[in-house]
Amino acid sequence: MDTPILWHVIAGMREAEVSPWRYRGSAPHTGDNGRVPTENIVEVDVSTEMEGSFLEYAYSVIYSRALPDARDGLKPVQRRILFQMDKMGLAPTKPHVKSARVVGDVMGRLHPHGDAAIYDALVRMAQPFSLRLPLVDGHGNFGSPDDGPAASRYTEARLAPAALEMTRSLDEDVVDFVPNYDNTYQQPSVLPAAIPNLLVNGASGIAVGMATNMAPHNLVEVVAAARHLLANPNATVEDLIRFVPGPDLPTGGKIVGLQGVRDAYATGRGTFKMRAKARIENVTARKKAIVVTELPYQVGPERVIEKIRDAVNAKKVQGLTAVNDLSDRENGLRIVIEVKNSFNPEAVLESLYRFTPLEESFGINNVALVEGQPQTLGLKRLLEVYVEHRLAVVTRRTRHRLDSSEARLHLVEGLLIAILDIDEVIQVIRTSDNAEAARQRLMGVFDLSELQAEYILELRLRRLTKFSRIELESERDELTARIAELREILASDARLREVVSTELAEVAGKYGTSRRTVLLESSGATATAAKEPMEIPDGPCHVVLTGTGLIARVDGELGEGGPRRAHDAFTSTVPGTVHGEIGVITSAGRLLRLGVLDIPALAPVEGRPGVDGGHPIEEMVNLERGEEAVALMGLDSARPIVLATAQGVVKRVTSADFPQRDEFEVIALKDGDYVVGAAPNPNEDDRIILISAHAQLLHFAASNVRPQGRAAGGMAGIKLRDADRVIQVAVVPAELVSAARVVTIAGPSNALPGTVPGSAKVTPLDRYPGKGRATGGVRCHKFLKGEDALFLAWAGLDPRAVGAGGNAVELPEEDERYAGSGRTLKGLVVAIG
C-alpha cells in the first residue's frame, strides 16, 4: 500500500467529527477479482498531531539553526563553514578563494539548507563591525551597517588568524564527530574553541518561542575572567565583573548606565544604552559642528542621517544647518552636523541623543544551548560552560598525545634493540622463507612485540645506521620526558587547569586588543530626562586627575580643608566650565582634547568636593600602547604650560596657536625621551622644580625659560649624569614657596614596582638653594643602605600619598635637612598629590 497521506476533506462534517484527522491509503481501485479493497483509515487527534509536529519543528529550529552552542559560541551553519574552510586549506597564509566556492562546498557536504543562509553567516563572520574578533578574512564588498554585501560570486574569503584557534587540534580526537545529513562525511559536533567566542563575538538569533541577543566583549577581559575562574571555581559574579566590567562593542561608542549590564551578568537578561562618540569642533572660524566618530552597535551612518532629517522636519531637533557624511577609508567614520551660531552645540547634541539613533538600547538575552537544551545564562555560567569545555578538550588532546607518544616510544625501543645487532637482524630476515616467518623469528630471537617486528620489516636499511641510532636515542629521551609531562597533566587537576589557563593567556596576548567602548555609570546630563535640552546649565567646575589614574568633574569650587575621600589625592587639577574643554598631556608629548561635559560629575561630599570613585582616564581618551596621561591642562591662552622630559628638557608653551584638533604634539621629543609631567605657569616669577631619579633637585624662575612654539623641542632644564632621568616637574608660585613642601621616596632600583615601601622625606621647598637653569641642582635625598634611586617625588602644597587602592598612606614628619635621609614608610605608595 502507498504511504498514507493527510486526508484534508473535512467540509460538510459535523463539528464533532472535525476533531480527528483521517489518514487513508491510495484511491480505491478494482482488484483482480473485481472487488474494491477495504480502505486503510487511521484517525488521529488534531491537537496531538499539531503538538507533535510543532515541537519537532521548534526543536529543529532551536537546535539546528537559531541558537549557538555555549561551548564554542557557534550556530551549526557557522561551525560547518569554519570546519569546511579548514578542510579546504584556506589558511590566513593562503590566497583567498571565491565565496561561492566555499558556500557550494558547505552546502553540498554539510549544510543542505540553501546558499543564502550559508553566505549570510559567512558574511557576518567577516564583518569587523559585527564581530569583535572576525573569524573570516573577507576580500571584496562584504557590506556595511546600512547595506548588504555583494553576491558570493564577487567576493572572496579565507580563514582569519583567530579562526585557527577555533579549529586547532581537531585531528587529535578532542571532540566528537557526527555524520552529516546523508552519512557520507563526518563533522564535529562542537569546535575545540581556544577562544571564548560566545562572549567575545556575541550572538543573535530568533528561534520558535525564544530568541538570543548577546553583546560582544573584549577578548583580554574575558580571558582574564576565565583564568580567574579556573584558579577560583567558587568565584562570584561580582568577582568576575572586576575583570569584565561591560561589553566592548566592535564599533566603539559609549555605554551609559551599567546597572542593566550587571543585571544581565547576574541573571542573563538586562538592557543598556549605547551612545555615539561625538565632540564639538570649529568647522570655520565662527561656526561649530558636532562631529560623530563612533556609532552605536549595529547602527549605520545612512540611518542616522535619515533619522536626523526626520527629526528636524518634525521640529523635534532645532538648530541644525547641514548634515554631511565625510567618512572615508583613511579617517574612518566622520559625520559632521553643523549647528547654528545662536544654538548651544552641547544642548543640540543632547537633543540628538534623545530623538535619533545616536543613542540606542541593547537588550541582552543570553540564551544558548547547554547539553542540547536552551538555557538563559549569566556571566559566571557562561564562563563555567566554556571552561569545562576547554578542560575536556585539553584532557582528550593530552590523552591522544600520550597514546601516540607511547606507541612511538614502543617502536623506537624496538629499533634500538635491532640496531644493537643489525647483522643478526639482517641474517634472520634473509634466512626466513617469507615475511610471516621473519616476523616470528624476530619476535623470538630479539624478544620483540608483533608491532615492533612488523615495523622493522617495513623499515628501509638506510635507517639502520649509526647516525640513526643517535637520532633514535635522542627521540627516545624526548618521548620519555613528554610522556611523563602528559601523565602529570592527566593525573593532576591543578596542572590541567594551569595548562588551560596558560593557553588562554597566549591567545589573549596574540589576538587581544585594547577596549573600544567607554563605560559610564551615567551620562552626566541625561538627554532622555531633559524636557528642554537647550537649558543645560553651564557653570564653573574643576576636572581632577587622581594618583590612581581616575578622572572626574567636580562642579563648583574646590574648597580648602575638610576630610579627604578615597582616591582624593589629586595629581592634576584644572578649573574650567561644564561646557568647556581641557587638554590631557601624555608621555608621548601629545595633547588630547577632552570635553568637560563628557566627564561624569561627582557631587560634593562631607563639606568638601571630593572624588569618591571617578573613571579611568584611559577610558576617556585614546592612548597608544605604552602611552600614559601625565597631566591635565586648561586650554586658556593666558595660562602658559611648563613641560619637562625624562632627559632634562624643559619647555614653556601657550595654547594661543594650538590647532582645533582633537590631538596634536606640544613638544618635539628626541629618540627615547618622554614627557614626565606638566603644570600651568601663569607668572614669570613662578619657580620651576625638577627632581631626578638620582636625587638631584633644581629650581629656578620661570622667566629663565622663554616661551616657544608648539613644534619646538624645548631647552636644557637640568644637567643629568649618566643613566639619570627626571621623574617630576612642578611649578610653585613665588609667594607660596615658603608654604610648599618637597616629598621624595627612595628605594632599590632593582626592586619590582609595588613591592618595597621605601623611605620618604618631607622637606620645605625654601630649604633648597636655587641654582641656574641647565645646572645639576642640589642633593635632595640621602640614600640609606640598599637604596640607590627615587621611586617618586613631588613638590607643592598639602602633600597626600595614596596606595594602589586609593587608600591614604601616612607620610613622615617634616625634615628641615634638604639632603637628609628618609624614614621607612608603613605602606606602599603609588602616587602623591
Side-chain angles (χ1 to χ4, degrees), residues 150 439 777:
R439 179 167 55 251

Side-chain angles (χ1 to χ4, degrees), residues 87 185 217 233 408 421 473 477 627 647 681 773 825:
K87 282 296 191 181
Y185 296 97
H217 290 77
R408 177 60 185 170
D421 199 350
E473 289 176 345
D477 296 340
E627 187 178 18
Q647 296 180 2
N681 166 227
R773 181 182 62 82
L825 288 167

Side-chain angles (χ1 to χ4, degrees), residues 122 133 170 239 304 332 451 515 519 529 608 682 733 807 813 824:
L122 174 69
L133 186 64
L170 268 177
D239 296 333
V304 170
L451 286 176
R515 168 171 282 275
L519 303 177
R608 173 193 174 96
N807 55 297
E813 296 181 357
T824 303

Side-chain angles (χ1 to χ4, degrees), residues 222-233 235-236 239-240 242-243 501:
V222 173
V223 166
R227 297 184 68 195
H228 181 76
L229 189 62
L230 278 165
N232 305 276
T236 64
D239 296 333
L240 299 175
R242 292 192 298 110
F243 299 96
S501 180

Side-chain angles (χ1 to χ4, degrees), residues 155-400:
T155 62
E156 297 177 338
R158 64 184 177 188
L159 290 175
L164 299 181
E165 305 297 336
M166 298 293 294
T167 60
R168 193 179 302 281
S169 302
L170 268 177
D171 57 346
E172 294 184 281
D173 190 33
V174 293
V175 296
D176 294 332
F177 276 71
V178 296
N180 71 332
Y181 64 93
D182 61 356
N183 292 322
T184 57
Y185 296 97
Q186 293 288 311
Q187 60 182 338
S189 58
V190 65
L191 293 185
I195 293 174
N197 179 63
L198 187 57
L199 274 168
V200 172
N201 282 326
S204 62
I206 300 176
V208 178
M210 63 184 66
T212 184
N213 197 35
M214 305 180 68
H217 290 77
N218 186 274
L219 174 62
V220 176
E221 296 174 354
V222 173
V223 166
R227 297 184 68 195
H228 181 76
L229 189 62
L230 278 165
N232 305 276
N234 295 324
T236 64
V237 175
E238 290 72 19
D239 296 333
L240 299 175
I241 289 177
R242 292 192 298 110
F243 299 96
V244 187
D248 188 21
L249 307 176
T251 53
K254 304 174 184 177
I255 291 179
V256 179
L258 301 181
Q259 185 56 48
V261 175
R262 298 189 186 101
D263 293 341
Y265 287 166
T267 66
R269 297 178 183 270
T271 303
F272 62 84
K273 290 184 178 180
M274 305 175 292
R275 271 194 172 186
K277 184 177 181 180
R279 60 177 180 267
I280 311 301
E281 288 188 6
N282 287 332
V283 292
T284 65
R286 299 180 60 184
K287 182 176 286 294
K288 291 183 177 293
I290 300 169
V291 179
V292 180
T293 55
E294 295 177 4
L295 290 175
Y297 184 44
Q298 297 176 333
V299 173
E302 293 181 9
R303 177 187 167 198
V304 170
I305 293 173
E306 180 183 356
K307 293 297 182 181
I308 290 176
R309 289 170 179 166
D310 292 343
V312 170
N313 293 334
K315 307 296 184 182
K316 295 180 179 179
V317 176
Q318 299 179 356
L320 303 184
T321 59
V323 180
N324 300 310
D325 185 3
L326 304 182
S327 306
D328 55 38
R329 293 182 180 271
E330 181 178 353
N331 299 313
L333 178 72
R334 184 177 174 85
I335 300 176
V336 179
I337 306 170
E338 297 184 8
V339 182
K340 294 180 181 178
N341 291 335
S342 58
F343 281 76
N344 186 339
E346 289 83 2
V348 174
L349 177 58
E350 292 294 330
S351 180
L352 290 171
Y353 283 143
R354 182 180 179 184
F355 295 109
T356 71
L358 290 181
E359 180 177 280
E360 288 276 42
S361 295
F362 187 99
I364 299 178
N365 188 25
N366 295 336
V367 178
L369 296 174
V370 179
E371 297 181 356
Q373 300 297 324
Q375 295 183 14
T376 302
L377 308 173
L379 175 62
K380 182 178 180 181
R381 185 57 183 150
L382 282 168
L383 289 171
E384 283 178 340
V385 173
Y386 175 74
V387 165
E388 291 168 1
H389 174 58
R390 284 303 299 171
L391 289 172
V393 166
V394 174
T395 299
R396 293 181 60 166
R397 184 189 68 193
T398 304
R399 189 173 294 114
H400 179 273

